[in-house]
């Protein structure tokens, strides 16, 4: 019988995950189907329970359910516990195991697809929401010289930095005046509403890699970085890499991401022009 997987979110209609996992399954010869399921905002747990009862083997979870998914799990990975959020569920023998592959997805995209160095670098992470929290642990594991978290609500960044400790610091956007970083990672959702971030000019320089986690659109952050001569990337590679890690957890097979990323690039250019890449 074909194994069933799904992504749960709200909204979910524009999710690229079914296409990504269909391409992974074709490439690796795995017999599975993968669908996008809209979970009502007040019925995430019931929607997951129904899917398990119908024989579901695993799932991805996206906005706004990642924290609720974490609480639903019987067992979680260390990286999920660091993030306090889960984007991948494995259903086995009536138990739910949860993992968070967003951070490793970002790190793989940076290192393998974009040939970026994190070790020894000064890294700026913009945002202190779920996406930021999910990537801090895996970024710190790469041993940057510094990880500065800046957020519109500075106290959230300071709180996160204090929780992770080590080379983490936190503060406001204004605290970035006069600072330089080689890697600037935008984990805010400001780009989804075309809102510019009040960042000092110094942040954008030609030797900077400016990475936007939003995908499928050119955000004001990307436009500003491009105008300053930075190397710029959106978050499509992160999306594909986090999916590959989930696929590996479920199937024990690691798909090649490069051909899938290339296929997605042409798909999003034709189908998503001007649309938002809100969810996984
Ligand atoms: P979230 O938990 O709602 O957090 C949103 C963050 O953005 C907060 O830090 C918030 O600051 C900040 N923000 C929102 N609007 C802003 C504005 N106008 N100006 C400045 N800061 C603003 O969302 P999330 O789950 O962290 O997701 C963030 C983004 O990452 C989303 O766009 C999502 O699509 C993307 N993402 C991409 C991938 C991928 O695979 N590519 C994976 C995960 C997430 P305050 O604290 O001040 O409110």
């Amino acid at each position: 019988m074909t194994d069933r997987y799904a992504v749960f979110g709200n909204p979910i209609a524009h999710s690229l995950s079914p296409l990504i996992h269909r391409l992974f399954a074709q490439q690796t010869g795995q017999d599975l189907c993968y669908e996008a399921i809209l979970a009502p905002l007040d019925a995430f747990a019931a929607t997951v329970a129904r899917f398990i009862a119908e024989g579901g083997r695993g799932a991805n979870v996206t906005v706004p359910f990642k924290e609720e998914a974490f609480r639903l799990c019987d067992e979680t990975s260390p990286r999920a516990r660091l993030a306090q959020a889960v984007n991948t569920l494995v259903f086995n023998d009536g138990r739910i195991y949860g993992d968070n592959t967003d951070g490793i997805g970002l790190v793989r995209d940076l290192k393998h697809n974009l040939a970026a160095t994190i070790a020894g670098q000064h890294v700026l992470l913009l945002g202190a929401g779920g996406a930021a929290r999910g990537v801090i642990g895996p970024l710190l594991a790469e041993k940057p010289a510094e990880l500065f978290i800046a957020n519109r609500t500075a106290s959230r960044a300071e709180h996160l930095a204090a929780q992770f400790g080590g080379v983490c610091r936190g503060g406001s956007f204004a605290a970035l005046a006069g600072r330089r970083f080689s890697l600037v990672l935008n984990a805010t959702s400001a780009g989804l509403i075309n809102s510019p971030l009040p960042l000092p000019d110094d942040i954008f320089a030609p030797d900077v890699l400016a990475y936007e986690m939003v995908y499928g659109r050119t955000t004001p952050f990307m436009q500003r970085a491009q105008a300053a001569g930075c190397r710029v990337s959106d978050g499509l590679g992160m999306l594909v890499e986090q999916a590959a890690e989930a696929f590996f957890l479920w199937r024990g097979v690691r798909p090649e991401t490069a051909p899938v990323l290339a296929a997605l690039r042409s798909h999003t250019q034709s189908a998503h022009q001007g649309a938002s890449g809100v969810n996984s």
Side-chain angles (χ1 to χ4, degrees), residues 62-63 66-67 87 102 126-133 135 150-154 156-157 173 186-193 195-198 211-215 234-240 242 277-280:
T62 187
V63 175
K66 290 183 188 180
E67 285 84 5
N87 77 336
D102 279 338
L126 304 168
R133 174 180 277 283
V135 301
N151 194 45
R152 177 175 63 181
T153 312
R156 290 185 78 192
F173 294 141
N186 186 9
T188 75
S189 51
L192 295 177
I193 51 165
S195 174
L197 296 171
Y211 189 99
E212 167 67 88
M213 286 193 197
V214 169
Y215 54 84
D234 72 358
L236 195 63
M238 175 179 172
L239 180 76
V240 172
Q242 64 77 27
V278 185
N279 285 345
S280 310

Side-chain angles (χ1 to χ4, degrees), residues 69-157:
F70 176 77
R71 295 192 292 274
L72 199 67
C73 292
D74 300 300
E75 198 187 335
T76 49
S77 67
R79 60 192 179 192
R81 290 196 291 278
L82 269 180
Q84 295 282 300
V86 147
N87 77 336
T88 304
L89 299 171
V90 183
F91 309 131
N92 210 354
D93 287 337
R95 289 178 66 78
I96 303 178
Y97 174 77
D99 198 354
N100 191 314
T101 66
D102 279 338
I104 196 69
L106 171 69
V107 167
R108 290 219 178 106
D109 192 32
L110 289 170
K111 286 174 68 175
H112 301 149
N113 300 331
L114 299 167
T117 304
I118 303 168
Q121 301 300 307
H122 291 262
V123 179
L124 172 60
L125 180 64
L126 304 168
R133 174 180 277 283
V135 301
I136 293 171
L139 283 171
L140 289 175
E142 296 297 319
K143 307 247 178 288
E146 175 189 20
L147 180 61
F148 194 97
I149 307 164
N151 194 45
R152 177 175 63 181
T153 312
S155 57
R156 290 185 78 192

